[in-house]
Amino acid sequence: MPVSCRMCGKSAILKRPKTGDALCKECFFFAFESEINYTITSGKLFNRGDRVAVGASGGKDSTVLAYILKLLNERHDYGIELILLSVDEGITGYRDDSLETVKRNQYQYDLPLTIVSYEELYGWTMDAIVKQIGLKNNCTFCGVFRRQALDRGALLVKANKIATGHNADDIAETVLMNVLRGDIARLRRCTAITTGADGALPRCKPFKYTYEKEIVMYAYFKKLDYFSTECIYSPNAYRGHARSYLKDLERIRPSAIIDIIHSGESLSIKKDVKMPTQGVCSRCNYISSHSVCKACTLLEGLNKGLPKLGIGKTHKSRRLLDAAEKAGDSVKTETENSSTSSSTMKKEDLTF
C-alpha cells in the first residue's frame, strides 16, 4: 500500500531523515526551502544591500547553497548581491575537476565567479605541501590556509559577508572534535550561526540546522550539477573519526545531530576560565589570538624546511628553530662586539 504525503495526501516518494515525515517531492522542496528561509530570517544573516561571497567548491553543499540563496533572494526579496568564490588548493585530479563544476554553476545560476589559489597567496599548492608533510597532518594546513584564502578572496571582490555550506552534520562533528580535543575556545563559538560578526567579514551558515542527507536528496531531485568525489588527501583526517561516530549515533537516534548542536549552544564557560584574546597577526594583519597567526607559522615552517613547525602546541621543530635563532643571535652579537673592539684598538693605535 503506497504511503501518503503527510502534507498534501498525495503519494510520498521519500522519508525525511530529519523528521521521519513521508513527503512527496513538491512538499519536500517546500519544507526544505521554508526551513532555510526561516533560519536566514530568524538568525538575521543578511541585510538589504549586503554583498555576499558564497564559498563554492563544486560539492553538494556549496552547489545547493548557491542555488537556494539565489532562489530565496528572488522569492523573498532579501536585496542581497551574490558572488561565487572558490579556492583552488592545488590538488591535481580533485580540485581542478571540481572547479569545472563551479564554472558550469556560474552560467547555470548566472552568478559572477572569482577563484583564488594557494599558489598565488602562499607560493605553495597542497600537492607540494603533502610531499613535505605527508598524509598525517595535511588537513591542518589546508583548513588554516583555506579559511584565510576565503577571507582574502572576499575582500578582493569587496564582499561584506561570506556564506558557507556548513551543514548540521558538519557542526555536530565539530562539537565532538572540540570536546575530544578539549578546545574550549573553539567549542564556545563553533555552534554560532554567524562568526566574526564584530570583524570586517562575518561568516554565516544558512544550513546550520539542515541535515546532509536532505541536502543530497534536494540536489538529486532538483537535478543539480555537483561534484561528488571526496578529497584524495582526506581519508586520514581527524574529522573522519568524529563523522563515523556521529553516523553510528544517527542510526540509533536520528535526532542526535540536532541534539549535539543544541548541547553545544547550551554550554557555558566558567567565569574564571582564561580565554584567548583576539588580536591581529604581526605579519599579515589577519585575525589571531597569537602575535603570529597559524597560517604564517605554518608557512614559515614550509619555507624553512620544517613543515611540522606549526603542528601541535609546542612541537620540537619550534624548539629547534628557536634554539637555532638564539644561537644565531649569540654569534651575531659576539661578531659585533669583536668588530667594535677591533675598531677601538685601531683608534687607540692611531692616538698613541
Side-chain angles (χ1 to χ4, degrees):
M1 183 177 177
V3 179
S4 299
C5 173
R6 185 179 179 277
M7 294 178 70
C8 69
K10 295 179 181 177
S11 295
I13 63 167
L14 60 91
K15 182 179 179 181
R16 288 193 71 183
K18 185 176 180 179
T19 62
D21 293 338
L23 296 175
C24 68
K25 185 163 64 173
E26 295 305 318
C27 287
F28 169 65
F29 291 158
F30 174 79
F32 185 87
E33 293 160 6
S34 297
E35 287 177 8
I36 294 169
N37 177 57
Y38 177 78
T39 300
I40 291 170
T41 53
S42 63
K44 298 179 181 178
L45 301 191
F46 307 123
N47 298 312
R48 183 170 291 276
D50 279 345
R51 187 173 170 88
V52 182
V54 182
S57 66
K60 61 186 184 313
D61 299 319
S62 64
T63 299
V64 173
L65 179 65
Y67 174 85
I68 209 158
L69 282 182
K70 179 177 172 64
L71 177 74
L72 296 178
N73 187 34
E74 294 172 352
R75 180 183 295 171
H76 299 285
D77 190 25
Y78 294 158
I80 60 176
E81 183 181 357
L82 299 170
I83 306 113
L84 297 179
L85 176 61
S86 293
V87 177
D88 181 3
E89 301 93 340
I91 304 175
T92 305
Y94 168 68
R95 184 56 70 208
D96 46 359
D97 291 340
S98 70
L99 285 175
E100 292 303 315
T101 305
V102 177
K103 290 173 184 176
R104 292 197 298 271
N105 292 158
Q106 175 189 5
Y107 294 104
Q108 292 161 356
Y109 307 152
D110 191 26
L111 294 173
L113 168 65
T114 296
I115 301 173
V116 293
S117 73
Y118 282 8
E119 191 166 21
E120 293 172 354
L121 296 175
Y122 310 115
W124 288 80
T125 64
M126 274 309 298
D127 286 341
I129 291 171
V130 169
K131 285 182 181 178
Q132 284 267 358
I133 192 71
L135 291 171
K136 188 175 181 181
N137 295 300
N138 57 292
C139 288
T140 299
F141 285 82
C142 195
V144 171
F145 288 165
R146 184 176 177 79
R147 279 190 293 273
Q148 193 176 108
L150 271 176
D151 281 352
R152 291 189 181 189
L155 289 172
L156 185 68
V157 298
K158 295 180 172 58
N160 66 316
K161 282 184 182 173
I162 299 174
T164 63
H166 292 97
N167 56 51
D169 299 55
D170 296 328
I171 296 169
E173 289 164 13
T174 304
V175 172
L176 292 173
M177 287 169 65
N178 289 330
V179 169
L180 294 171
R181 288 188 298 212
D183 194 332
I184 298 173
R186 285 193 176 93
L187 184 58
R188 188 172 68 169
R189 65 176 182 262
C190 71
T191 57
I193 194 166
T194 299
T195 56
D198 54 345
L201 278 171
R203 291 186 179 212
C204 55
K205 307 166 191 169
F207 288 167
K208 178 182 175 180
Y209 300 111
T210 308
Y211 276 32
E212 182 180 43
K213 288 178 181 177
E214 297 202 352
I215 292 172
V216 174
M217 292 166 69
Y218 186 85
Y220 173 77
F221 286 117
K222 281 286 186 178
K223 295 181 172 57
L224 300 184
D225 183 5
Y226 68 92
F227 186 76
S228 58
T229 303
E230 289 291 327
C231 176
I232 59 176
Y233 295 140
S234 69
N236 298 319
Y238 184 57
R239 179 175 289 274
H241 301 294
R243 180 174 295 135
S244 298
Y245 177 60
L246 185 64
K247 295 304 178 189
D248 290 340
L249 290 177
E250 188 186 7
R251 276 191 285 272
I252 300 167
R253 181 184 174 91
S255 65
I257 293 171
I258 293 295
D259 292 341
I260 290 172
I261 293 174
H262 289 327
S263 296
E265 291 171 335
S266 303
L267 288 172
S268 60
I269 311 298
K270 288 182 179 180
K271 292 181 180 178
D272 58 345
V273 175
K274 189 177 180 181
M275 302 296 289
T277 54
Q278 198 172 77
V280 293
C281 175
S282 59
R283 297 183 185 178
C284 68
N285 290 322
Y286 188 71
I287 296 170
S288 175
S289 56
H290 301 282
S291 59
V292 179
C293 72
K294 190 73 169 178
C296 285
T297 302
L298 292 172
L299 198 57
E300 179 188 13
L302 289 171
N303 292 332
K304 291 187 175 181
L306 298 169
K308 293 184 179 179
L309 185 67
I311 303 298
K313 295 181 180 178
T314 54
H315 194 274
K316 61 181 181 181
S317 295
R318 166 56 68 186
R319 295 195 293 271
L320 287 170
L321 183 62
D322 290 343
E325 288 178 348
K326 283 183 180 179
D329 290 340
S330 177
V331 170
K332 184 179 178 182
T333 302
E334 289 177 6
T335 303
E336 288 173 350
N337 290 338
S338 175
S339 175
T340 303
S341 175
S342 175
S343 176
T344 304
M345 287 174 67
K346 287 178 181 178
K347 287 179 181 178
E348 289 173 351
D349 289 343
L350 288 169
T351 303
F352 289 99

